[in-house]
Amino acid sequence: AIGNGAMALPMGVLPWEVHKFGGASLANAELYRTCSQLLLREAGRQGDSAPPIPTCAVVSAAYGVTDLLIGVVKESSKGTVA
């Protein structure tokens, strides 16, 4: 183990990078493309001759979806949603 509680990786094993996207960063199709381009760029930033960096994307609700779901729950509690 390393001092901060992380485990030491075997030689040649790359640590994963995790990127979280949600809300305004996923508001439309163009922003989804922007996020995907960022992931590809980050994964390959070691150069063409090096292996890609293991990269993971965590995606939460797109812009406005959480508010929409909250509204549905509120309306259903009033008995106005079928």
Side-chain angles (χ1 to χ4, degrees), residues 1-79:
I2 302 174
N4 64 2
M7 298 296 293
L9 296 172
M11 183 180 270
V13 175
L14 297 173
W16 278 77
E17 288 193 356
V18 178
H19 301 264
K20 192 263 185 191
F21 300 98
S25 64
L26 300 173
N28 58 47
E30 183 59 33
L31 290 171
Y32 271 88
R33 281 189 285 279
T34 299
C35 291
S36 67
Q37 291 165 355
L38 179 136
L39 289 167
L40 291 169
R41 185 176 63 244
E42 288 293 307
R45 75 170 185 258
Q46 295 189 115
D48 291 335
S49 62
I53 297 169
T55 305
C56 174
V58 177
V59 181
S60 63
Y63 180 79
V65 172
T66 300
D67 291 339
L68 179 65
L69 293 171
I70 290 170
V72 168
V73 170
K74 285 180 180 179
E75 289 300 313
S76 68
S77 69
K78 296 178 189 177

